[in-house]
Amino acid sequence: MIKSIFGILAGLIIGAAVTWTFLRHHDGGHEPEAKKEEHKEESHVLHTNDQTYVKLDKKEQEQAGLKIAPLEAATLSPEIKAFGRVMDPAPLAATLAEVASARVALDASTKELNRLKILHAQDQNVSTRVLEAAEATARRDQLLLQTAEVKMVTAWGKPIAAQADLPAFVHALATLDMALVRVDVPLGDALKAPPSKVRIASMSSPDNPVEAQFLGAASTADPQTQGQGFLLLVKNSAFTPGATVVAWLDAGGAEEKGVTVPRAAVVRHEAEAFIYLQTADELFERKKIELHHPTAKGWFIDEELKPGQNIVVVGAQQLLSEELKGQGGEE
């Protein structure tokens, strides 16, 4: 009898232990799923009428560091795009030295000729032969100076040769305080008049152009492009000799109307450029733009954008990340 009681008790204990273990294992297997569902992030991407939007409320916008600003109206004259390089000032300095040396030699021989003329006229033992030799030397030095000056104009053009203080000009180029740039307009394009405005940028950083001064036409044609060549001057420049550049030359004509898009507002994805328009207080739409006209303030856009439209100027990359995450893509 006692053994039967102990057997029943043992069975109850074992059964309770098995039941407890099963329940614990069952609950443990589903608890993470419940928590996972509870903490599952809500998608910020909305699809409406074939349009895709990113939705962020005010708090989420602050957390993402978004800054929004209206587009500013802008105008831009028609432009011609040209390519070229920063010129090495060393050959120009050498030609300038040649001109200066010839001028010094001519000055000395002219003074000597004048001295001998006076002595010869006063019959002070200056023979006619000596006087004639001095005249020949002075004529030779004059020809050498003319040759050097022609070489300067032929090699560098009148815009350079006619500089009011050419030595100071060359010194500024040599010390990189200024940069002399030659650009060539592609064959088929042509400027009918000197441009009133010129912007120039390094090919390694074409998004950041600076203002340049138009000096005039180059003295020779480029053997490859066979188009118009022009000389430009960039002051306070970071351009180094030999660097390749791109320039935008004002071609004249009626100005185009558009807006200025700040550089920080542009995001790139799959080799294309976009901005985010704020279409409602909590909605943002990605819009493709074409980047053809960089300016000092950003990009001139003459497409569907209008002045006063709000765009994201800081934090656009966060919106792109949210959109791609919601679409299952990668940033």
Side-chain angles (χ1 to χ4, degrees):
M1 182 69 180
I2 295 176
K3 289 181 179 181
S4 298
I5 294 174
F6 277 115
I8 293 171
L9 291 175
L12 292 174
I13 293 173
I14 293 172
V18 171
T19 301
W20 179 81
T21 302
F22 172 78
L23 291 175
R24 183 185 178 194
H25 176 74
H26 182 74
D27 292 341
H30 287 77
E31 183 178 0
E33 290 296 329
K35 290 183 178 180
K36 184 176 180 181
E37 291 296 329
E38 180 181 349
H39 297 291
K40 182 179 180 180
E41 293 186 3
E42 181 182 355
S43 174
H44 292 288
V45 178
L46 298 179
H47 302 280
T48 305
N49 297 328
D50 296 328
Q51 298 292 329
T52 300
Y53 301 92
V54 178
K55 184 177 185 300
L56 294 180
D57 59 30
K58 293 297 183 182
K59 182 178 180 180
E60 290 169 331
Q61 292 177 32
E62 293 177 359
Q63 292 174 344
L66 297 192
K67 290 186 179 180
I68 300 163
L71 288 168
E72 295 183 3
T75 58
L76 188 70
S77 297
E79 295 178 323
I80 291 180
K81 198 172 184 179
F83 299 89
R85 70 186 188 282
V86 180
M87 304 184 74
D88 184 357
L92 176 59
T95 305
L96 176 63
E98 187 177 341
V99 171
S101 177
R103 185 172 287 116
V104 169
L106 176 60
D107 183 63
S109 60
T110 300
K111 288 180 179 179
E112 177 64 11
L113 175 60
N114 291 335
R115 187 182 72 84
L116 293 177
K117 283 182 177 180
I118 293 173
L119 295 176
H120 184 270
Q122 296 174 352
D123 195 19
Q124 295 185 15
N125 295 325
V126 175
S127 67
T128 301
R129 177 178 295 180
V130 171
L131 181 61
E132 290 175 346
E135 290 175 342
T137 300
R139 285 197 298 269
R140 180 203 63 193
D141 290 343
Q142 185 176 17
L143 289 174
L144 290 175
L145 175 59
Q146 291 174 347
T147 301
E149 290 175 340
V150 169
K151 182 179 178 180
M152 171 70 75
V153 175
T154 302
W156 297 94
K158 291 182 179 180
I160 304 299
Q163 289 291 316
D165 190 346
L166 189 53
F169 179 84
V170 173
H171 182 269
L173 296 178
T175 55
L176 302 183
D177 292 331
M178 299 190 302
L180 180 63
V181 179
R182 172 179 175 146
V183 297
D184 290 272
V185 174
L187 191 64
D189 293 331
L191 285 177
K192 298 179 180 179
S196 59
K197 295 180 181 179
V198 179
R199 301 192 314 280
I200 188 170
S202 168
M203 288 294 287
S204 60
S205 183
D207 296 358
N208 297 286
V210 297
E211 299 295 325
Q213 177 186 345
F214 180 83
L215 292 180
S219 58
T220 58
D222 185 276
Q224 294 182 343
T225 64
Q226 291 296 307
Q228 287 179 307
F230 299 106
L231 297 178
L232 311 176
L233 186 65
V234 184
K235 298 180 180 179
N236 301 320
S237 128
F239 295 104
T240 55
T244 54
V245 299
V246 56
W248 294 266
L249 310 177
D250 179 11
E255 291 187 331
E256 300 176 6
K257 294 182 179 180
V259 297
T260 297
V261 173
R263 289 186 182 84
V266 179
V267 291
R268 290 173 170 83
H269 178 59
E270 296 182 346
E272 294 182 326
F274 302 89
I275 61 170
Y276 274 92
L277 284 171
Q278 186 183 35
T279 58
D281 289 343
E282 298 181 355
L283 293 181
F284 301 90
E285 179 186 4
R286 178 158 56 106
K287 182 174 180 59
K288 179 182 174 182
I289 58 175
E290 300 292 339
L291 304 180
H292 295 309
H293 303 285
T295 68
K297 293 183 178 181
W299 294 92
F300 175 80
I301 306 295
D302 59 351
E303 299 168 358
E304 299 177 3
L305 299 177
K306 294 184 172 88
Q309 285 182 300
N310 285 333
I311 68 168
V312 177
V313 294
V314 176
Q317 190 64 45
Q318 284 86 332
L319 290 180
L320 179 62
S321 299
E322 287 292 337
E323 182 178 347
L324 296 179
K325 187 193 305 180
Q327 294 176 352
E330 295 182 359
E331 185 177 350

